[in-house]
């Protein structure tokens, strides 16, 4: 009998070896990611949900003419060629930039990426009268590229952009214009709501293969990707919105997901002990409060803004976060070569903070009181509820400041950053708590130049500092690195000494992964590269 069973086993093995290769394929490699977003980012090719939407449903699927170089962890991410193989500033007209398009690129639906497709997408974002105009995608894109004046097709491989001011940093804005196949719009009956469910076609290393509103989005490997050196190792990526940190933690521990954004800080030691990988890294990103300086508000007085910056116990907040953040005393980090030489070096100095508030007329008998709009979760927000509760108690105990909160959803908070003073969406709030990249001067322009107060950009505080404007103008017109860096440092000095924000912390981009996840590089960027990631 034993001989018969052995013979039968050999026969089965021989049969399996003789089967076609397709029957013996390895299972699909699927990476399951729990995002902090409360919903799946929009899927038309310009995702909402802030930069978390761009990280997961933007760049992997829909690319720009310029891309971030996310290949290294030892320096801040720079730029690399994307759908444009090169770009240059017109020497005869520095407000004009010329982009040379890459040849041989096709959208996921097989249609060619070319100059006509570029113009079609630009009309989608910047021309309200175009048939393909998309209101939500336009609002997001215009807020990120507020200096666009015009664009035109020069020839089949060249696009000219003209900006409304000289801008040495324009390529850092071009990185936020994503491209969708015009055929997707036609296939959806010229209705962007229907296009979102198709799903639409981009040019990226992943395709959007399935979308379930409020539940999940599935990305699949694009094995026909134009850069043959960057074919993804993963077959699929499943994106799951989980705004509650404890929910994400439970999903990771139970094996429902392989990767979570922003694990609860107090759970990090036990996750490490259990064999999960925790990645952190310093990168250009800041978690502040924006002060509303327009209209009748206490923040018109620089002493109030400086005083509050001396009242914050940043070290205590970092301790609450279990070391997953570092103190912020400016828009840039103190070790950044362009930090400048401000007179104010903010630290936890309640006596100095109270003295400045008293000079401005606020004391125990007349305490400073205001409302801050905060979110429950969201892109780059870490743990906004406990963090803001810490700040509320800290400011009351250290400097007698009374803070209340307007708690809202992340996308509503983003909408508020594009509103004017006193807008109904603010519900009486005089400060906002979004987070922001601090990666390059193009972001600095959008947040701090007077020209970019809402609806033109994100200068919600209505910041207007002549010294800053002068320094930034020199940066925009700089023709060499030395001039550029000197002007950048002068501009940042004004952001510290005349602070439009309460600088609180720079987060360290924490995420937790199962040890089966391999090949991830924690780039010094808000964005991350999924292409080299593998799962065992």
């Amino acid at each position: 009998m034993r001989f018969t069973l052995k013979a039968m086993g050999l026969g089965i093995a021989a049969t399996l070896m003789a089967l076609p290769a397709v029957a013996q394929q390895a299972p699909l490699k699927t990476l399951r990611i729990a995002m902090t977003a409360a919903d799946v980012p929009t899927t038309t090719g310009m995702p909402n949900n802030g930069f978390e939407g761009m990280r997961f449903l933007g760049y992997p699927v829909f690319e720009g003419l310029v891309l971030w170089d996310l290949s290294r962890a030892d320096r801040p991410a720079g730029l690399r060629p994307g759908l444009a193989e090169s770009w240059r500033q017109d020497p005869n007209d520095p407000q004009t930039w010329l982009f040379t398009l890459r040849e041989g690129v096709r959208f996921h639906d097989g249609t060619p990426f070319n100059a006509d497709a570029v113009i079609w997408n630009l009309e989608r974002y910047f021309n309200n009268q175009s048939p393909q105009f998309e209101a939500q995608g336009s609002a997001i894109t215009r807020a990120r590229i507020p200096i666009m004046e015009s664009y035109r097709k020069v020839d089949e491989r060249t696009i000219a952009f003209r900006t409304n001011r000289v801008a040495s940093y324009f390529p850092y804005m071009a990185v936020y214009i994503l491209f969708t196949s015009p055929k997707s719009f036609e296939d959806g009956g010229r209705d962007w709501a229907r296009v979102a469910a198709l799903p639409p076609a981009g040019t990226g290393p992943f395709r959007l293969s399935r979308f379930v509103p409020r539940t999940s989005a599935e990305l699949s490997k694009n094995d026909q990707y134009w850069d043959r050196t960057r074919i993804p190792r993963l077959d699929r990526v499943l994106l799951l919105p989980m705004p509650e940190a404890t929910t994400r933690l439970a999903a990771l521990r139970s094996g429902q997901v392989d990767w979570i954004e922003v694990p609860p800080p107090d759970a990090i030691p036990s996750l490490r002990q259990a064999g999960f990988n925790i990645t952190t890294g310093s990168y250009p990103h800041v978690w502040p409060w924006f002060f509303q300086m327009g209209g009748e508000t206490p923040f018109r007085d620089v002493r109030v803004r400086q005083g509050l910056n001396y009242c914050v116990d940043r070290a205590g907040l970092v301790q609450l976060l279990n070391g997953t953040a570092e103190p912020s005393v400016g828009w840039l980090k103190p070790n950044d070569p362009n930090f400048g030489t401000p007179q104010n070096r903010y630290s936890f100095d309640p006596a100095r903070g109270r003295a400045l508030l008293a000079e401005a007329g606020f004391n125990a008998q007349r305490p400073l009181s205001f409302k801050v709009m905060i979110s429950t979760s969201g892109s780059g927000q870490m743990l906004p509820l406990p963090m803001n509760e810490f700040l509320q108690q800290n400011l009351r105990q250290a400097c007698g400041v009374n803070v209340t909160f307007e708690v809202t959803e992340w996308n509503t908070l983003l909408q508020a950053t594009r509103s004017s003073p006193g807008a109904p969406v603010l519900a009486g709030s005089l400060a906002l708590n979004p987070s922001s990249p601090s990666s390059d001067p193009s972001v600095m322009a959008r947040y701090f130049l007077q020209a970019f107060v809402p609806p033109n950009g994100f200068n919600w505080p209505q910041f207007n500092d002549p010294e800053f404007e002068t320094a930034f103008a020199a940066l925009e017109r700089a023709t060499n690195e030395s001039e550029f860096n000197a002007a950048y440092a002068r501009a940042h000095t004004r952001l510290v000494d005349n602070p439009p924000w309460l600088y609180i912390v720079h987060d360290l981009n924490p995420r937790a992964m199962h040890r089966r996840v391999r090949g991830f590089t924690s780039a010094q960027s808000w964005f991350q590269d999924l292409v080299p990631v593998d799962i065992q």
Side-chain angles (χ1 to χ4, degrees):
M1 187 67 174
R2 284 195 294 268
F3 175 82
T4 305
L5 286 172
K6 182 176 180 181
M8 186 180 295
L10 290 171
I12 292 172
T15 301
L16 289 173
M17 292 176 66
L19 287 175
V22 68
Q24 300 181 57
Q25 281 184 344
L28 293 177
K29 293 182 178 182
T30 301
L31 177 68
R32 300 160 299 170
I33 298 176
M35 303 181 294
T36 67
D39 195 1
V40 179
T42 47
T43 56
T44 57
M46 180 48 67
N48 65 0
N49 273 283
F51 275 179
E52 187 171 43
M54 290 289 280
R55 175 193 285 163
F56 289 125
L57 269 176
Y59 294 126
V61 182
F62 307 94
E63 298 177 300
L65 300 178
V66 183
L67 299 176
W68 292 103
D69 182 355
L70 305 173
S71 61
R72 299 179 60 163
D74 59 347
R75 64 187 183 191
L79 301 179
R80 64 181 178 89
L83 297 177
E85 62 182 27
S86 64
W87 53 86
R88 66 190 187 280
Q89 202 167 12
D90 188 334
N92 300 315
D93 177 12
Q95 287 180 239
T96 296
W97 286 80
L98 301 169
F99 286 73
T100 301
L101 304 185
R102 190 178 298 278
E103 292 186 289
V105 177
R106 291 189 171 272
F107 289 102
H108 299 148
D109 58 15
T111 58
F113 171 81
N114 52 29
D116 291 332
V118 171
I119 296 298
W120 187 93
N121 276 275
L122 294 173
E123 291 284 279
R124 163 194 179 184
Y125 297 131
F126 295 103
N127 182 359
N128 296 30
Q129 305 307 314
S130 69
Q132 66 268 32
F133 178 70
E134 183 198 6
Q136 184 178 65
S138 171
I140 294 170
T141 306
R142 289 183 183 190
R144 293 173 179 163
I145 304 98
I147 63 174
M148 184 75 77
E149 181 178 282
S150 63
Y151 42 83
R152 61 187 174 89
K153 173 183 172 181
V154 177
D155 56 41
E156 294 303 317
R157 291 195 60 205
T158 310
I159 301 292
F161 294 90
R162 181 171 173 79
T163 58
N164 60 21
R165 57 198 296 143
V166 176
S168 57
Y169 49 79
F170 179 69
Y172 282 94
M173 287 187 169
V175 78
Y176 298 118
I177 307 173
L178 302 185
F179 294 91
T180 303
S181 166
K183 184 175 182 296
S184 294
F185 186 63
E186 299 298 329
D187 290 346
R190 298 192 162 200
D191 179 348
W192 282 112
R194 290 176 60 189
V195 172
L198 283 177
T203 61
F206 290 91
R207 303 168 181 263
L208 182 58
S209 50
R210 190 164 181 264
F211 166 58
V212 181
R214 303 197 70 83
T215 301
S216 65
E218 180 186 87
L219 312 183
S220 297
K221 173 168 60 177
N222 176 16
D223 53 15
Q224 300 301 311
Y225 185 52
W226 56 266
D227 185 345
R228 304 304 295 171
T229 67
R230 285 183 45 78
I231 304 298
R233 298 180 182 182
L234 297 166
D235 296 300
R236 297 190 309 165
V237 177
L238 187 63
L239 302 171
L240 303 163
M242 293 188 190
E244 294 294 331
T246 53
T247 303
R248 295 194 297 274
L249 176 64
L252 180 65
R253 283 180 163 158
S254 66
Q256 294 177 318
V257 298
D258 311 293
W259 164 328
I260 65 173
E261 297 288 285
V262 195
D266 57 359
I268 287 176
S270 62
L271 285 172
R272 283 197 171 109
Q273 189 174 12
F276 292 98
N277 293 325
I278 308 295
T279 69
T280 60
S282 183
Y283 75 117
H285 192 261
V286 60
W287 193 90
W289 286 357
F290 292 9
F291 296 130
Q292 178 53 261
M293 298 157 61
E296 294 303 317
T297 137
F299 302 124
R300 289 172 63 90
D301 193 321
V302 67
R303 294 169 297 186
V304 173
R305 292 177 272 124
Q306 289 176 344
L308 288 173
N309 270 289
Y310 282 110
C311 289
V312 173
D313 181 7
R314 298 171 178 85
L317 185 55
V318 168
Q319 185 176 7
L320 173 74
L321 295 170
N322 207 4
T324 58
E326 53 192 348
S328 169
V329 293
W331 189 69
L332 297 173
K333 298 180 180 183
N335 62 355
D336 191 293
N338 295 315
F339 187 86
T341 55
Q343 295 179 4
N344 290 272
R345 288 283 181 158
Y346 299 118
S347 60
F348 185 37
D349 189 344
R352 188 169 182 180
R354 288 194 302 269
L356 284 163
L357 292 175
E359 288 178 22
F362 297 101
N363 50 37
Q365 291 70 43
R366 183 177 178 256
L368 175 64
S369 303
F370 59 95
K371 182 192 287 188
V372 185
M373 178 175 279
I374 67 174
S375 65
T376 54
S377 66
S379 173
Q381 292 301 86
M382 293 182 282
L383 303 174
L385 295 181
M387 291 170 71
N388 278 297
E389 288 167 359
F390 174 93
L391 290 168
Q392 182 183 49
Q393 183 178 5
N394 160 210
L395 291 173
R396 183 173 60 249
Q397 292 179 346
C399 292
V401 175
N402 297 323
V403 175
T404 57
F405 296 124
E406 179 71 22
V407 183
T408 189
E409 192 268 334
W410 174 232
N411 280 310
T412 302
L413 179 59
L414 290 180
Q415 178 189 350
T417 66
R418 298 190 286 268
S419 68
S420 56
V425 69
L426 298 173
S429 302
L430 294 181
L432 301 180
N433 172 227
S435 56
S436 162
S438 50
S439 54
D440 60 85
S442 78
V443 182
M444 181 184 273
R446 300 202 316 265
Y447 279 99
F448 303 116
L449 283 177
Q450 175 62 19
F452 302 133
V453 298
N456 298 326
F458 289 106
N459 185 359
W460 183 82
Q462 312 277 313
F463 181 65
N464 186 7
D465 182 304
E467 291 183 50
F468 174 83
E469 297 278 331
T470 298
F472 203 87
L475 178 155
E476 291 181 312
R477 295 178 177 275
T479 57
N480 60 65
E481 188 174 358
S482 177
E483 289 178 5
F484 183 95
N485 289 336
Y488 200 177
R490 291 198 304 274
H492 188 264
T493 293
R494 294 306 301 157
L495 294 183
V496 177
D497 284 336
N498 187 18
W501 293 1
L502 180 65
Y503 302 114
I504 303 171
V505 292
H506 303 283
D507 73 272
L508 294 182
N509 218 3
R511 49 181 56 87
M513 304 176 184
H514 196 281
R515 58 182 173 272
R516 293 181 300 143
V517 178
R518 307 289 178 84
F520 174 72
T521 296
S522 184
Q524 288 191 37
S525 170
W526 176 243
F527 309 107
Q528 301 295 327
D529 189 3
L530 297 178
V531 166
V533 176
D534 202 352
I535 191 163
Q536 302 299 317

